[in-house]
Amino acid sequence: DAEITQSPRHKITETGRQVTLACHQTWNHNNMFWYRQDLGHGLRLIHYSYGVQDTNKGEVSDGYSVSRSNTEDLPLTLESAASSQTSVYFCASSERRGTDTQYFGPGTRLTVL
Amino acid sequence: QQQVKQSPQSLIVQKGGISIINCAYENTAFDYFPWYQQFPGKGPALLIAIRPDVSEKKEGRFTISFNKSAKQFSLHIMDSQPGDSATYFCAAVIGGYQKVTFGTGTKLQVIP
């Protein structure tokens, strides 16, 4: 069955380290998204991509970067992890733009000490 | 800025009761309003969605009511069950861009 996976599921790192969270989908969806979920804020968009080589900033993109070299993967990199980036991160994908359903991965819980 | 305001933050309902979650938006460019359901340790999943050209949409025990003039919409869960206990997010989408703006979430607990 097609799916969207994230790894690792849990990560503890130290302030200042570079961290990369993986997202992989097997639906061949064009659109991929990264969100962070924090209590009291819901889900906030970090970066998104509408296709290979396309990346765009969301509302909370500072300190994060993404690259899209193929359809299946959109890794999220924290260049220099900060305690404020402690959060649960969700990747999502959708087939088309417009009102297509977004399918979410299981999430990665990141703790920055 | 919070473009989609959601209330209440938490809700406790007895089994068989009606759960009601409310949302309000500001940007009139939003043209699609989905609700997502999230169980602990899982990613959100689409529950039900509505477009602003209809005032109500019903799917089983779940109903969205939409008031375009007031820029408000709500989720009603009829005959609430313990299995409905989850966090619910309302959202708004500008269709052409497919970017979803989420509300802050409502944690629903249905007690037996």
Side-chain angles (χ1 to χ4, degrees), chain B residues 30-108:
Chain B
F30 291 134
D31 56 4
Y32 183 66
F33 300 88
W35 284 87
Y36 283 80
Q37 179 187 55
Q38 183 181 28
F39 293 104
K42 304 290 185 181
L46 180 66
L47 180 65
I48 186 173
I50 195 169
R51 295 182 183 275
D53 53 347
V54 297
S55 60
E56 185 176 282
K57 183 173 182 179
K58 184 176 181 179
E59 290 185 1
R61 297 184 293 107
F62 299 90
T63 299
I64 301 177
S65 297
F66 190 86
N67 185 329
K68 187 175 181 178
S69 61
K71 293 187 285 186
Q72 296 175 348
F73 57 110
S74 60
L75 176 69
H76 296 236
I77 306 174
M78 311 300 288
D79 187 26
S80 298
Q81 299 296 313
D84 297 330
S85 297
T87 298
Y88 293 82
F89 293 94
C90 63
V93 185
I94 300 176
Y97 296 95
Q98 233 259 321
K99 286 165 53 179
V100 183
T101 300
F102 287 89
T104 52
T106 296
K107 186 173 183 179
L108 170 66

Side-chain angles (χ1 to χ4, degrees), chain A residues 33 37 50 94 98-101, chain B residues 38 46 51 89 95 97-98:
Chain A
F33 308 83
Q37 184 175 26
Y50 290 144
S94 67
T99 56
D100 232 20
T101 299
Chain B
Q38 183 181 28
L46 180 66
R51 295 182 183 275
F89 293 94
Y97 296 95
Q98 233 259 321

Side-chain angles (χ1 to χ4, degrees), chain A residues 11-87:
Chain A
K11 174 77 175 178
I12 299 175
T13 191
E14 295 178 343
T15 301
R17 290 188 179 269
Q18 183 181 77
V19 177
T20 297
L21 308 182
C23 176
H24 180 79
Q25 52 97 3
T26 59
W27 285 300
N28 205 36
H29 284 169
N30 288 322
N31 307 328
M32 296 185 73
F33 308 83
W34 273 104
Y35 296 89
R36 60 178 289 175
Q37 184 175 26
D38 305 286
L39 197 63
H41 291 278
L43 291 117
R44 292 180 291 175
L45 183 63
I46 305 172
H47 281 286
Y48 59 102
S49 169
Y50 290 144
V52 176
Q53 302 300 331
D54 175 76
T55 60
N56 306 279
K57 294 181 178 180
E59 62 177 300
V60 290
S61 61
D62 288 349
Y64 303 95
S65 64
V66 295
S67 62
R68 187 93 179 268
S69 59
N70 59 53
T71 301
E72 296 80 17
D73 299 288
L74 187 69
L76 177 71
T77 297
L78 287 68
E79 303 294 344
S80 177
S83 58
S84 60
Q85 294 177 309
T86 293
S87 186

